[in-house]
Amino acid sequence: MSVLFTFYTKSRSVDLLRVCYLRSIMTEKILILDFGSQFTQLIARAVREANVYCEIIPYHKPFEYETNLKGIILSGSPFSVNDPNAPVVDVSAMIKKLPVLGICYGAQLTAKLFGGRVEKSEKREYGRAHLHQQKENVLMTNVADNSQVWMSHADTILELPDNFEILATTENIPVAAFRKNDNGTCPLFGIQFHPEVYHSVEGRKIIKNFLVNICGCSQDWTPAHFISDTVETLKKQIGDRKVIMALSGGVDSTVAATLIHKAIGDRLYGIFVDNGVLRKNEFEQVLKTYDQIGLNVKGINAKEHFYTKLAGNPDPETKRKIIGGLFIDVFNEEAHKLDGIEMLGQGTIYPDVIESVSVHGPSATIKSHHNVGGLPEKMHLGLVEPLRYLFKDEVRKVGLELGIPAEMINRHPFPGPGLAIRILGEVTEEKVQLLQEADAVYIDNLKKSGLYATVWQAGAILLPVKSVGVMGDERTYEYTVALRAVTSVDGMTADWAHLPYDFLAKVSNDIINNVRGINRVVYDISSKPPATIEWE
């Protein structure tokens, strides 16, 4: 990275200053060792929100102490440190090189490894608690005494090792935060609560204190710096080769393509396939936007092929596989019309990477519609994935920095199989057209009413149910549409959006009056879990 960073150098040797200079010409990094906690991604998001780059790796994966590595965070875990097969790392070796922060299990493991006592708690320690600071310390700078934090653990630290000291307690636990006195090593801190979750009111401050005041991070990892670094990296990675990429009109693929295009220009060949289950007018609108931002994209109208293959197949997984398989065939056919293609661009983002390389090894199940699964293996191309270390919200920020229209960047997520999994049962062209019209009425109303940006995802679902209705003096027997809208941060959990009754009444009226073939509209008020966001 060309930007020089400032570093925290107080009480450090000349040799360490030299190391800091070497780090200053590279992207600073925090490493998060994952012990299997459900909150590990939230730690990473909190670090990124502080404009510090970080990566998550399984605790057992070897790593190098690179000159740009600034500190290590040990995550929580579903394990007990007293389990026979509890995950273990060498914390004493780490603090010879870098500052370390242990969170929950990471703190308990640290205490045990240095000779402390960790036992099962007499009281359940889940939910809200309040910190009572025992002394001033750099980790708790500007954190109020009695600040609310979130507990989630069955074990507790009963005795700290020698040369450790308590920094904070709560109502129920004697050691809520601690540190090891340096004695020639880098700083070592542990906390038995989760600062990364929303319910820890000042948790972000604690994480920022570790990053800035302890690790010396300069918080210079911004969308603009990411773009300049990534474009330079792509130029080196791709060289004078050609890249082909499947585009969907979604945020991830569009931002990835724009980055690649900035690096190699029209040697990026985009393919946008109309699979027949896109939203109303989406094919034409997306191609127009791609043209406006200067991408070299070819549109392929293949919807009749998809309708033919989908006919007579009501099973959700079968529909997914048909769409994924046929897409690969269409894309592969178009790719072979081009000469000299050696690389494949993809919009893979960091949650996809994390899910595929978990603490327990590669995921047993990967969604059959994920990205363009199967293409790299079938086409024998090298992969170009410029977004593979970004979270979704970071992708959006980069997209806006690149000048991609906000309307495209802020679009709601849309499933890979499109409307095929919002049409319950068999997919036909008639049903697709019905749903496209109903969905367009719904989304247009959300935008006009100012509600679109308040929900994370919204869409209409065509149910395989017909019911009796009355329009004028005529009885009707037509389809039912369900409206779905959820609020969420990342889609891992979601709550149904509490849209105003008068808004829902207007949407229902507009759909029934304008979409012939639908005479009933219902609203889905289930959350995830137990339901999913999509119906199939």
Side-chain angles (χ1 to χ4, degrees):
M1 196 169 188
S2 59
V3 178
L4 292 180
F5 297 103
T6 56
F7 286 84
Y8 178 77
T9 58
K10 187 176 180 180
S11 301
R12 299 194 180 189
S13 67
V14 173
D15 285 342
L16 190 52
L17 287 172
R18 182 178 62 82
V19 171
C20 286
Y21 172 74
L22 291 173
R23 289 178 183 175
S24 73
I25 58 174
M26 303 173 71
T27 302
E28 297 175 321
K29 181 168 71 175
I30 294 292
L31 202 60
I32 301 170
L33 301 191
D34 181 17
F35 293 102
S37 170
Q38 61 180 319
F39 299 136
T40 301
Q41 284 197 39
L42 297 182
I43 299 174
R45 293 177 70 89
V47 173
R48 297 282 185 88
E49 285 173 9
N51 291 336
V52 176
Y53 178 70
C54 66
E55 291 180 14
I56 299 171
I57 65 169
Y59 74 93
H60 50 70
K61 181 179 179 181
F63 64 90
E64 299 290 332
Y65 287 95
E66 303 161 311
T67 54
N68 61 323
L69 186 58
K70 301 284 287 176
I72 298 172
I73 297 176
L74 310 177
S75 83
S77 176
F79 292 95
S80 163
V81 294
N82 296 316
D83 289 344
N85 297 318
V88 177
V89 295
D90 190 349
V91 179
S92 61
M94 293 176 189
I95 59 173
K96 291 177 182 177
K97 302 279 190 179
L98 295 166
V100 174
L101 172 65
I103 294 177
C104 200
Y105 178 90
Q108 294 165 356
L109 175 64
T110 297
K112 182 175 180 178
L113 290 175
F114 283 88
R117 184 160 68 93
V118 182
E119 302 289 350
K120 188 168 287 297
S121 305
E122 293 183 3
K123 297 181 179 179
R124 289 172 59 85
E125 293 171 355
Y126 296 96
R128 294 173 179 83
H130 293 87
L131 282 183
H132 304 299
Q133 296 185 41
Q134 302 302 302
K135 62 188 306 179
E136 289 187 10
N137 66 92
V138 67
L139 188 66
M140 301 291 176
T141 300
N142 296 323
V143 175
D145 194 36
N146 209 40
S147 181
Q148 177 182 289
V149 295
W150 188 260
M151 298 285 183
S152 180
H153 57 94
D155 291 343
T156 195
I157 301 169
L158 296 180
E159 294 179 11
L160 281 175
D162 294 338
N163 208 31
F164 281 59
E165 60 180 340
I166 296 173
L167 300 180
T169 63
T170 70
E171 303 91 325
N172 293 324
I173 62 173
V175 183
F178 65 82
R179 75 177 175 194
K180 178 182 180 297
N181 293 321
D182 291 351
N183 287 344
T185 66
C186 294
L188 171 60
F189 290 82
I191 50 181
Q192 277 202 99
F193 54 89
H194 288 276
E196 69 274 20
V197 303
Y198 171 77
H199 298 294
S200 290
V201 176
E202 295 183 280
R204 292 294 196 276
K205 284 185 183 179
I206 294 171
I207 291 174
K208 182 178 177 180
N209 286 336
F210 176 71
L211 301 173
V212 178
N213 299 336
I214 297 168
C215 296
C217 294
S218 57
Q219 299 180 277
D220 276 358
W221 196 69
T222 64
H225 291 155
F226 172 81
I227 291 168
S228 60
D229 285 359
T230 301
V231 170
E232 290 305 310
T233 300
L234 289 170
K235 287 178 180 178
K236 294 174 184 177
Q237 178 190 3
I238 299 169
D240 59 0
R241 290 176 287 186
K242 297 177 182 178
V243 180
I244 193 169
M245 185 169 183
L247 296 172
S248 66
V251 176
D252 301 337
S253 66
T254 301
V255 174
T258 305
L259 284 167
I260 297 171
H261 181 263
K262 281 181 72 71
I264 66 171
D266 284 348
R267 284 187 288 119
L268 170 67
Y269 297 86
I271 304 293
F272 180 35
V273 178
D274 185 351
N275 57 14
V277 285
L278 301 175
R279 288 166 283 202
K280 182 180 178 182
N281 298 329
E282 184 170 20
F283 184 61
E284 296 78 14
Q285 290 171 353
V286 168
L287 284 176
K288 182 179 179 181
T289 302
Y290 285 155
D291 183 61
Q292 290 172 346
I293 60 179
L295 294 182
N296 177 26
V297 180
K298 180 180 180 180
I300 307 297
N301 185 342
K303 56 187 178 183
E304 294 303 327
H305 294 297
F306 283 86
Y307 293 149
T308 300
K309 287 279 189 179
L310 287 167
N313 289 287
D315 178 69
E317 189 61 17
T318 301
K319 291 191 291 187
R320 289 175 184 270
K321 288 179 177 178
I322 288 170
I323 290 171
L326 186 54
F327 172 82
I328 290 174
D329 291 341
V330 172
F331 184 85
N332 204 15
E333 181 182 342
E334 290 300 319
H336 278 89
K337 296 177 183 178
L338 300 169
D339 293 327
I341 299 294
E342 297 181 58
M343 307 193 81
L344 174 72
Q346 287 202 149
T348 308
I349 63 174
Y350 202 31
D352 304 327
V353 176
I354 295 168
E355 289 168 8
S356 297
V357 187
S358 69
V359 166
H360 306 290
S363 301
T365 303
I366 298 176
K367 292 179 182 178
S368 55
H369 67 275
H370 170 64
N371 282 337
V372 285
L375 278 177
E377 296 83 0
K378 185 165 184 172
M379 299 178 70
H380 307 292
L381 300 175
L383 274 180
V384 183
E385 298 177 307
L387 306 179
R388 68 180 282 110
Y389 293 111
L390 293 190
F391 288 102
K392 189 78 170 188
D393 53 337
E394 294 170 328
V395 175
R396 294 186 193 279
K397 291 175 184 177
V398 168
L400 292 173
E401 185 75 25
L402 284 166
I404 299 171
E407 184 177 351
M408 175 168 277
I409 290 299
N410 295 324
R411 294 174 78 197
H412 291 170
F414 189 61
L419 298 180
I421 59 168
R422 293 183 180 176
I423 296 172
L424 305 197
E426 182 183 8
V427 176
T428 66
E429 186 171 3
E430 176 196 8
K431 290 180 181 178
V432 170
Q433 291 174 353
L434 275 178
L435 186 55
Q436 284 176 333
E437 293 296 333
D439 184 75
V441 170
Y442 181 29
I443 299 302
D444 286 347
N445 271 283
L446 281 170
K447 291 178 178 177
K448 289 175 182 177
S449 65
L451 292 169
Y452 185 81
T454 69
V455 300
W456 191 77
Q457 183 171 333
I461 299 93
L462 186 67
L463 306 185
V465 174
K466 287 187 175 183
S467 62
V468 174
V470 178
M471 293 187 181
D473 294 327
E474 297 181 4
R475 288 169 62 84
T476 60
Y477 191 64
E478 296 177 338
Y479 283 104
T480 300
V481 159
L483 304 181
R484 181 75 159 138
V486 297
T487 56
S488 181
V489 173
D490 52 20
M492 297 174 68
T493 61
D495 193 15
W496 62 276
H498 296 216
L499 298 178
Y501 290 157
D502 56 349
F503 169 80
L504 292 172
K506 183 178 186 306
V507 173
S508 175
N509 190 62
D510 287 352
I511 289 174
I512 292 171
N513 284 344
N514 292 285
V515 185
R516 185 177 295 275
I518 295 172
N519 68 357
R520 193 176 297 271
V521 176
V522 299
Y523 188 57
D524 182 351
I525 60 169
S526 49
S527 296
K528 175 188 179 181
T532 53
I533 295 176
E534 299 294 345
W535 279 44
E536 286 192 342

